[in-house]
PDB file of all heavy atoms in Angstrom:
ATOM      1  N   ALA A 138      41.570 -38.776 -34.711  1.00 96.00           N
ATOM      2  CA  ALA A 138      41.477 -39.594 -33.498  1.00 96.00           C
ATOM      3  C   ALA A 138      42.484 -40.739 -33.537  1.00 96.00           C
ATOM      4  O   ALA A 138      43.064 -41.106 -32.506  1.00 96.00           O
ATOM      5  CB  ALA A 138      40.062 -40.122 -33.328  1.00 96.00           C
ATOM      6  N   VAL A 139      42.706 -41.297 -34.719  1.00 97.00           N
ATOM      7  CA  VAL A 139      43.724 -42.351 -34.861  1.00 97.00           C
ATOM      8  C   VAL A 139      45.111 -41.763 -34.612  1.00 97.00           C
ATOM      9  O   VAL A 139      45.919 -42.321 -33.852  1.00 97.00           O
ATOM     10  CB  VAL A 139      43.646 -42.997 -36.261  1.00 97.00           C
ATOM     11  CG1 VAL A 139      44.834 -43.930 -36.482  1.00 97.00           C
ATOM     12  CG2 VAL A 139      42.341 -43.757 -36.416  1.00 97.00           C
ATOM     13  N   GLN A 140      45.391 -40.614 -35.230  1.00 95.00           N
ATOM     14  CA  GLN A 140      46.695 -39.975 -35.058  1.00 95.00           C
ATOM     15  C   GLN A 140      46.959 -39.612 -33.597  1.00 95.00           C
ATOM     16  O   GLN A 140      48.093 -39.721 -33.115  1.00 95.00           O
ATOM     17  CB  GLN A 140      46.773 -38.703 -35.916  1.00 95.00           C
ATOM     18  CG  GLN A 140      46.731 -38.942 -37.407  1.00 95.00           C
ATOM     19  CD  GLN A 140      46.617 -37.636 -38.183  1.00 95.00           C
ATOM     20  OE1 GLN A 140      46.917 -36.549 -37.674  1.00 95.00           O
ATOM     21  NE2 GLN A 140      46.177 -37.725 -39.433  1.00 95.00           N
ATOM     22  N   ARG A 141      45.907 -39.205 -32.893  1.00 95.00           N
ATOM     23  CA  ARG A 141      46.054 -38.742 -31.513  1.00 95.00           C
ATOM     24  C   ARG A 141      45.777 -39.839 -30.482  1.00 95.00           C
ATOM     25  O   ARG A 141      45.692 -39.568 -29.300  1.00 95.00           O
ATOM     26  CB  ARG A 141      45.124 -37.544 -31.282  1.00 95.00           C
ATOM     27  CG  ARG A 141      45.500 -36.350 -32.147  1.00 95.00           C
ATOM     28  CD  ARG A 141      44.469 -35.242 -32.110  1.00 95.00           C
ATOM     29  NE  ARG A 141      44.887 -34.116 -32.934  1.00 95.00           N
ATOM     30  CZ  ARG A 141      44.183 -33.011 -33.134  1.00 95.00           C
ATOM     31  NH1 ARG A 141      42.984 -32.883 -32.561  1.00 95.00           N
ATOM     32  NH2 ARG A 141      44.636 -32.042 -33.886  1.00 95.00           N
ATOM     33  N   GLU A 142      45.605 -41.061 -30.969  1.00 96.00           N
ATOM     34  CA  GLU A 142      45.397 -42.224 -30.113  1.00 96.00           C
ATOM     35  C   GLU A 142      44.223 -42.008 -29.145  1.00 96.00           C
ATOM     36  O   GLU A 142      44.304 -42.292 -27.955  1.00 96.00           O
ATOM     37  CB  GLU A 142      46.680 -42.560 -29.339  1.00 96.00           C
ATOM     38  CG  GLU A 142      47.854 -42.884 -30.257  1.00 96.00           C
ATOM     39  CD  GLU A 142      49.107 -43.246 -29.488  1.00 96.00           C
ATOM     40  OE1 GLU A 142      49.194 -42.933 -28.287  1.00 96.00           O
ATOM     41  OE2 GLU A 142      50.004 -43.854 -30.106  1.00 96.00           O
ATOM     42  N   ALA A 143      43.121 -41.506 -29.706  1.00 97.00           N
ATOM     43  CA  ALA A 143      41.936 -41.203 -28.895  1.00 97.00           C
ATOM     44  C   ALA A 143      40.765 -42.126 -29.200  1.00 97.00           C
ATOM     45  O   ALA A 143      39.664 -41.930 -28.672  1.00 97.00           O
ATOM     46  CB  ALA A 143      41.514 -39.752 -29.119  1.00 97.00           C
ATOM     47  N   THR A 144      40.984 -43.145 -30.024  1.00 98.00           N
ATOM     48  CA  THR A 144      39.855 -43.952 -30.505  1.00 98.00           C
ATOM     49  C   THR A 144      39.215 -44.829 -29.425  1.00 98.00           C
ATOM     50  O   THR A 144      38.102 -45.313 -29.619  1.00 98.00           O
ATOM     51  CB  THR A 144      40.293 -44.847 -31.673  1.00 98.00           C
ATOM     52  OG1 THR A 144      41.424 -45.639 -31.264  1.00 98.00           O
ATOM     53  CG2 THR A 144      40.687 -44.004 -32.882  1.00 98.00           C
ATOM     54  N   ALA A 145      39.886 -45.026 -28.314  1.00 97.00           N
ATOM     55  CA  ALA A 145      39.287 -45.830 -27.243  1.00 97.00           C
ATOM     56  C   ALA A 145      38.090 -45.133 -26.624  1.00 97.00           C
ATOM     57  O   ALA A 145      37.166 -45.785 -26.114  1.00 97.00           O
ATOM     58  CB  ALA A 145      40.325 -46.137 -26.168  1.00 97.00           C
ATOM     59  N   GLN A 146      38.097 -43.797 -26.670  1.00 98.00           N
ATOM     60  CA  GLN A 146      37.009 -43.035 -26.062  1.00 98.00           C
ATOM     61  C   GLN A 146      36.210 -42.218 -27.071  1.00 98.00           C
ATOM     62  O   GLN A 146      35.018 -41.991 -26.868  1.00 98.00           O
ATOM     63  CB  GLN A 146      37.568 -42.073 -25.007  1.00 98.00           C
ATOM     64  CG  GLN A 146      38.147 -42.762 -23.782  1.00 98.00           C
ATOM     65  CD  GLN A 146      38.519 -41.763 -22.703  1.00 98.00           C
ATOM     66  OE1 GLN A 146      38.968 -40.658 -22.990  1.00 98.00           O
ATOM     67  NE2 GLN A 146      38.340 -42.160 -21.459  1.00 98.00           N
ATOM     68  N   LEU A 147      36.844 -41.783 -28.135  1.00 98.00           N
ATOM     69  CA  LEU A 147      36.232 -40.836 -29.062  1.00 98.00           C
ATOM     70  C   LEU A 147      35.823 -41.535 -30.349  1.00 98.00           C
ATOM     71  O   LEU A 147      36.641 -42.181 -31.009  1.00 98.00           O
ATOM     72  CB  LEU A 147      37.223 -39.711 -29.376  1.00 98.00           C
ATOM     73  CG  LEU A 147      36.757 -38.589 -30.311  1.00 98.00           C
ATOM     74  CD1 LEU A 147      35.568 -37.833 -29.717  1.00 98.00           C
ATOM     75  CD2 LEU A 147      37.919 -37.626 -30.584  1.00 98.00           C
ATOM     76  N   ASN A 148      34.540 -41.421 -30.701  1.00 98.00           N
ATOM     77  CA  ASN A 148      34.079 -41.967 -31.973  1.00 98.00           C
ATOM     78  C   ASN A 148      33.132 -40.985 -32.641  1.00 98.00           C
ATOM     79  O   ASN A 148      32.737 -39.969 -32.040  1.00 98.00           O
ATOM     80  CB  ASN A 148      33.442 -43.342 -31.791  1.00 98.00           C
ATOM     81  CG  ASN A 148      32.277 -43.315 -30.830  1.00 98.00           C
ATOM     82  OD1 ASN A 148      31.146 -43.033 -31.225  1.00 98.00           O
ATOM     83  ND2 ASN A 148      32.513 -43.611 -29.559  1.00 98.00           N
ATOM     84  N   PHE A 149      32.744 -41.295 -33.872  1.00 98.00           N
ATOM     85  CA  PHE A 149      32.027 -40.333 -34.700  1.00 98.00           C
ATOM     86  C   PHE A 149      30.852 -40.979 -35.419  1.00 98.00           C
ATOM     87  O   PHE A 149      30.858 -42.173 -35.720  1.00 98.00           O
ATOM     88  CB  PHE A 149      32.984 -39.734 -35.742  1.00 98.00           C
ATOM     89  CG  PHE A 149      34.074 -38.897 -35.142  1.00 98.00           C
ATOM     90  CD1 PHE A 149      35.232 -39.479 -34.642  1.00 98.00           C
ATOM     91  CD2 PHE A 149      33.939 -37.520 -35.051  1.00 98.00           C
ATOM     92  CE1 PHE A 149      36.231 -38.717 -34.066  1.00 98.00           C
ATOM     93  CE2 PHE A 149      34.931 -36.740 -34.479  1.00 98.00           C
ATOM     94  CZ  PHE A 149      36.074 -37.346 -33.988  1.00 98.00           C
ATOM     95  N   THR A 150      29.854 -40.135 -35.713  1.00 98.00           N
ATOM     96  CA  THR A 150      28.691 -40.574 -36.471  1.00 98.00           C
ATOM     97  C   THR A 150      28.115 -39.387 -37.236  1.00 98.00           C
ATOM     98  O   THR A 150      28.380 -38.229 -36.890  1.00 98.00           O
ATOM     99  CB  THR A 150      27.612 -41.167 -35.543  1.00 98.00           C
ATOM    100  OG1 THR A 150      26.499 -41.630 -36.331  1.00 98.00           O
ATOM    101  CG2 THR A 150      27.085 -40.125 -34.559  1.00 98.00           C
ATOM    102  N   THR A 151      27.331 -39.687 -38.247  1.00 97.00           N
ATOM    103  CA  THR A 151      26.589 -38.641 -38.957  1.00 97.00           C
ATOM    104  C   THR A 151      25.105 -38.700 -38.630  1.00 97.00           C
ATOM    105  O   THR A 151      24.318 -37.929 -39.169  1.00 97.00           O
ATOM    106  CB  THR A 151      26.771 -38.791 -40.479  1.00 97.00           C
ATOM    107  OG1 THR A 151      26.286 -40.086 -40.882  1.00 97.00           O
ATOM    108  CG2 THR A 151      28.236 -38.664 -40.880  1.00 97.00           C
ATOM    109  N   ASP A 152      24.715 -39.614 -37.737  1.00 98.00           N
ATOM    110  CA  ASP A 152      23.307 -39.887 -37.447  1.00 98.00           C
ATOM    111  C   ASP A 152      22.966 -39.479 -36.011  1.00 98.00           C
ATOM    112  O   ASP A 152      23.389 -40.146 -35.061  1.00 98.00           O
ATOM    113  CB  ASP A 152      23.037 -41.378 -37.655  1.00 98.00           C
ATOM    114  CG  ASP A 152      21.575 -41.757 -37.454  1.00 98.00           C
ATOM    115  OD1 ASP A 152      20.748 -40.859 -37.166  1.00 98.00           O
ATOM    116  OD2 ASP A 152      21.270 -42.966 -37.573  1.00 98.00           O
ATOM    117  N   TYR A 153      22.171 -38.415 -35.865  1.00 98.00           N
ATOM    118  CA  TYR A 153      21.889 -37.949 -34.506  1.00 98.00           C
ATOM    119  C   TYR A 153      20.975 -38.897 -33.727  1.00 98.00           C
ATOM    120  O   TYR A 153      20.888 -38.784 -32.504  1.00 98.00           O
ATOM    121  CB  TYR A 153      21.321 -36.525 -34.506  1.00 98.00           C
ATOM    122  CG  TYR A 153      20.019 -36.316 -35.239  1.00 98.00           C
ATOM    123  CD1 TYR A 153      18.810 -36.783 -34.735  1.00 98.00           C
ATOM    124  CD2 TYR A 153      19.984 -35.590 -36.431  1.00 98.00           C
ATOM    125  CE1 TYR A 153      17.611 -36.567 -35.398  1.00 98.00           C
ATOM    126  CE2 TYR A 153      18.789 -35.366 -37.103  1.00 98.00           C
ATOM    127  CZ  TYR A 153      17.610 -35.853 -36.583  1.00 98.00           C
ATOM    128  OH  TYR A 153      16.427 -35.626 -37.245  1.00 98.00           O
TER     129      TYR A 153
END
Side-chain angles (χ1 to χ4, degrees):
V139 171
Q140 294 172 19
R141 296 170 179 178
E142 300 181 342
T144 55
Q146 292 187 324
L147 181 62
N148 58 86
F149 294 83
T150 182
T151 60
D152 183 1
Y153 61 73

